[in-house]
Structures are given as C-alpha cells and as structure tokens.
Amino acid sequence: MSRNHIHLPSETELRAKALESLLVEKGLVKPATLDAIIETYQNQVGPRNGAHLVALAWADADFRQRLLADASAAAAEIGCFGRQGEHLQALENTPVAHNLVVCTLCSCYPWTVLGLPPAWYKSAPYRSRAVSEPRAVLAEFGTEVSEEVEIRVWDSTSEMRYLVLPMRPPGTDGWSAEQLSRLVTRNAMIGVEQALLPGQLTS
Amino acid sequence: MRGGHDLGGRQGFGPIRPEPESAEPVFHSEWERRVFAMTLATGMLGQWNIDQSRHARERQHPADYLAQTYYENWLAGTEKLLLEAGLLSAEELEQAMARAGEHQASRDGQGARAVSKREMRIPGPDDARKILRSGGPASRESSSPPRFAPGEQVLLRRKLTSGHTRAPAYAQGCSGWIRACLGGHVFPDANSAGEAIAHHLYSVCFDSHALWGADAESFTVLIDLWEPYLEAFDAESDRCG
C-alpha cells in the first residue's frame, strides 16, 4: 500500500507551527516573506506558463526552434525565468520517440514553467517505477505508446530541468496559440500523457 | 549515500494513484504551505546550499524517510539544517513544540536565544521575490576540456559513500553512452561538503536491458552524470550485462 501525500498528522502540524513561531521570534524569518513565497507558487508560477510555451512552439516554427535550442532563453521571452528553471531543456515528442521525466532521488522539476510538482511525481511509486517499467507507469495514466515508439526516461539528477514538448494533436489546423494552449496539460509536459484532442476539451 | 531517497528500481510501493490534474491543489494543507515557505526562506539566509539541503533530508533513517510524507521530510531536513547551523537549539525547538501543543500564543523572545550576529541578511518579501525570479545557475566555467565525447561508451562507477551524491544506485556499475556534454556544473558531492567546485556534466544514455536485464521492457534512460562518476568503458568492467 502506498502512502498518499494528503495525510495530515497533527504532530506534524504542531511541529510546523512550533518551528514557524520560533523562527519568527528569533528574527530569522519574516512572516510577510513566507506569504510572498507561498503567493508566488500558489498563484503566479504554474503549468499554464508551460502550456503557453508549448502552444507557441506548435503555432510558430521559429519559436519551436528557439525552444529546442535553448529552452531557458525561449521561456524568458514570455517572462518565465528564475529558480528551478535556470537550465531548462525541452524534449520533443515525435512519432518515434516519447519522453517521460522523473527525479528518482528527490523531486527536481521545472518550477518556472510547471510550478510545483504534483504529489504523485514526488511519491515513491512513481520515482521507483518510472525508470524500471515506464510503459506500465504510462498505462496507469491511461497512456498507451505503441511498441515501435522509443520511450526515453529522463532522470533529473542534476540542475538540468526537463520539459516535454508533446506532439500537436490532429484537427487543430489554424488554431491560435491561445486556443492550442488549452490542449496542453501539465501531465503531457511531464510526459505521462499526450496532449488533449480537440474533442476532449470540456468547455 | 544509498538512503531511503534513492528509489530508482526499488519495488513494492504499489500503484501510483495520481489525483486528477484538474482536482489537485498546489498544497494539500496549510502546514505544507508553511513548511515549503520556511524551507525556502531559511535557505535564503545563505547558511547552506541546495546539496546540503538535499543531503539533510536524505540522511534520515530510511524507514523515517519512506514513512513520512514529502513535506514531512522537508520539515525534518529544515530542522536539521537549522540545528546544525547553530541557528536553533534542540531545547528551543522542544519548548516551542510544547507551547504550540498548549495553543499558547508565543511571547516575543520567550525561550528563544538571540542568534549570534553573523553576516546574515534576513530577506523581506521583496528580497524573496527577487531571489526567486533571479534563480541561481549551477553552470560554471571548467578549467579543463571534457574527458568524454558524445557517442563514447562509459561506465558509471560503483561507489558507496556516506556523503551526498547524485549518481543513482540503480545505474551504478552499468555502462551507457554519452549523449551530450552539458558543460561545467557545480559538483554536488563536493558542494554538499561546502566545497563549490565544478566538473563537466554529461547526459548519459542507458539501455534498459543494461540496467534491468534481458526480460525488462525496452526503453532508454537518460541520466545527468558528472565526470568523476564516470570512467571509460572497458568490457571487463561491465558487471551489468
């Protein structure tokens, strides 16, 4: 049985509270600083940034080239830069190669374009299995990749940060980047799913 | 070190059971938010680096690391770093815990020892935003040319260390190919010991069968590895095939 990550032991809640009071009392941390950090990752930095980037790459061949050549620079063009995005590389899915990103040692993840990682990405089941049975992992996300397609699993062991550039779905000719971005899920940019098809949009 | 964190290829953890993407909040409770922010804010004091921070979480007993949730491990690591840096004492933490348990409002300075006046700037909200926006590149000029070239076959050395390393256990002793040279990057093994030296970083490609044997699924694993982890491949030293 795997532990889920929403379990809330009251002991932990108390420890967190105790540490915060102590840090504030000792003048080591300012409460407004904690709020600013939370606000940044709760509301400002998140996977819509990456979706915008992917949609631009689908809509604009020049931007796609720039993204594949230097993803940090391309992301900076749309205002995405900073911590955990200093060395960004885009991984292009093609009809012959499917990319999947994991961090087996901790939880390395491209914050500037995807925000903070989902709980499952940080969990022992994903971290242990993505590098040993990726097709089984993909199947758990409902993703079938044909046997002829090479699966490439990227273990984020350094400060390089990987963003999957999914394949543009069929039936989207003439769509604007804004329309296209709605097809780009966070999970597609980690590589556990494909981008949505137009018919899968809910609204 | 091969602690509870070194999870690649370990078995028995069961299915992944992801929450649906559209339903998953960034944080699952208030204490997770606060622990995340405290970890970043105390990191900004400049008393430890990212590799020391990772190592603090990894040094826990493997049973604790695996039993705790993600942000519980962050909390444990942050406490450890603060204690080891001498910014907090175990006694202060215990007292603060007792007060929190009794739901007492903390009084200014109660039970807390003044922190010695070392060179330390306490970041305000604007400082923090600026630090997060600026980031901190890990790339560094390297004085020597890269030892390996793309296409070259290499072996990831086996190494048992009690220190921090980013050479995952599952690939140690296995051979792969250099996909790309990524330039000089801060070397985590030394950085976690407070020595910020750089070595060439490589993207190394491993065949799944070299890692997991002939019956494994067919796929490729790409791992970022520093030059000191690698040696030129020699068929005699390939113990995985």
Side-chain angles (χ1 to χ4, degrees):
Chain A
M1 196 189 94
S2 70
R3 287 201 44 169
N4 70 39
H5 284 246
I6 56 172
H7 171 66
L8 171 59
S10 62
E11 170 86 5
T12 300
E13 196 173 11
L14 283 179
R15 262 175 77 193
K17 199 173 138 196
L19 183 62
E20 183 173 346
S21 334
L22 190 55
L23 289 172
V24 171
E25 275 174 30
K26 297 193 67 149
L28 289 167
V29 157
K30 298 176 182 177
T33 303
L34 299 181
D35 295 339
I37 293 170
I38 293 166
E39 160 66 19
T40 300
Y41 292 103
Q42 177 102 47
N43 300 319
Q44 292 170 23
V45 178
R48 297 330 296 160
N49 290 347
H52 185 191
L53 213 55
V54 167
L56 283 176
W58 285 346
D60 176 345
D62 289 340
F63 185 79
R64 181 190 190 88
Q65 283 312 309
R66 295 204 295 284
L67 180 70
L68 292 171
D70 183 345
S72 289
E77 288 182 34
I78 63 160
C80 298
F81 48 84
R83 182 166 291 195
Q84 297 295 316
E86 295 93 338
H87 307 285
L88 195 61
Q89 188 183 333
L91 308 170
E92 185 181 24
N93 281 352
T94 69
V96 296
H98 180 91
N99 297 284
L100 176 69
V101 181
V102 63
C103 174
T104 61
L105 296 173
C106 51
S107 54
C108 294
Y109 192 74
W111 289 10
T112 50
V113 288
L114 296 187
L116 299 182
W120 61 259
Y121 182 87
K122 306 175 287 193
S123 72
Y126 183 72
R127 286 165 54 191
S128 61
R129 295 172 55 210
V131 291
S132 60
E133 45 172 2
R135 284 179 190 275
V137 165
L138 289 168
E140 279 178 35
F141 284 86
T143 304
E144 295 292 334
V145 177
S146 95
E147 283 299 323
E148 298 82 64
V149 175
E150 180 193 358
I151 306 267
R152 295 180 187 156
V153 183
W154 299 75
D155 191 353
S156 310
T157 47
S158 76
E159 299 308 320
M160 298 296 298
R161 294 290 171 268
Y162 297 104
L163 174 77
V164 175
L165 173 55
M167 284 192 288
R168 179 172 174 162
T172 58
D173 289 352
W175 284 35
S176 68
E178 198 183 322
Q179 287 174 301
L180 288 168
S181 73
R182 296 169 58 212
L183 301 170
V184 187
T185 61
R186 175 200 66 200
N187 285 3
M189 294 181 282
I190 301 173
V192 291
E193 292 172 5
Q194 313 282 10
L196 298 176
L197 296 167
Q200 292 175 299
L201 283 176
T202 46
S203 57
Chain B
M1 65 182 294
R2 299 188 181 191
H5 68 288
D6 194 353
L7 287 169
R10 307 254 306 259
Q11 293 178 296
F13 292 112
I16 295 160
R17 301 191 203 285
E19 287 173 86
E21 179 172 335
S22 57
E24 179 167 2
V26 178
F27 298 101
H28 290 84
S29 59
E30 180 59 18
W31 74 265
E32 289 192 350
R33 262 184 211 105
R34 307 311 287 178
V35 166
F36 169 75
M38 281 191 278
T39 300
L40 266 64
T42 54
M44 290 174 190
L45 298 173
Q47 304 298 300
W48 52 80
N49 61 46
I50 188 165
D51 291 301
Q52 289 167 327
S53 179
R54 289 189 182 123
H55 193 42
R57 298 192 276 268
E58 296 164 2
R59 278 185 283 144
Q60 295 181 83
H61 192 290
D64 291 335
Y65 182 94
L66 291 169
Q68 286 163 184
T69 65
Y70 180 77
Y71 283 114
E72 286 177 309
N73 281 327
W74 274 43
L75 176 59
T78 301
E79 284 179 353
K80 195 187 288 258
L81 291 163
L82 287 162
L83 291 170
E84 289 175 356
L87 297 177
L88 299 182
S89 71
E91 192 186 13
E92 286 173 331
L93 262 180
E94 263 173 46
Q95 288 167 356
M97 184 71 189
R99 289 203 304 275
E102 291 159 16
H103 301 289
Q104 287 178 9
S106 63
R107 279 165 287 166
D108 281 354
Q110 181 73 34
R113 192 161 39 85
V115 176
S116 62
K117 293 287 172 202
R118 64 179 89 193
E119 290 298 317
M120 202 165 60
R121 183 173 149 72
I122 311 299
D126 289 339
D127 302 315
R129 286 187 199 100
K130 202 171 152 192
I131 292 168
L132 297 175
R133 292 287 282 171
S134 313
S139 50
R140 299 285 184 278
E141 288 292 318
S142 181
S143 51
S144 55
R147 186 178 158 201
F148 304 108
E152 207 169 322
Q153 204 169 355
V154 289
L155 185 87
L156 174 56
R157 293 186 162 120
R158 286 183 192 279
K159 188 176 179 187
L160 204 53
T161 170
S162 58
H164 177 66
T165 186
R166 301 290 289 179
Y170 72 86
Q172 289 187 22
C174 298
S175 66
W177 287 263
I178 303 284
R179 181 190 67 85
C181 306
L182 303 171
H185 273 240
V186 173
F187 184 48
D189 304 45
N191 199 37
S192 65
E195 196 191 349
I197 56 171
H199 281 290
H200 285 285
L201 179 68
Y202 302 87
S203 171
V204 185
C205 191
F206 294 86
D207 183 88
S208 61
H209 302 107
L211 298 171
W212 310 115
D215 296 337
E217 289 179 16
S218 293
F219 58 98
T220 304
V221 179
L222 295 114
I223 313 178
D224 297 334
L225 299 166
W226 281 261
E227 198 164 272
Y229 297 165
L230 302 171
E231 60 188 63
F233 178 73
D234 151 10
E236 289 297 300
S237 59
D238 182 15
R239 298 178 193 92
C240 270

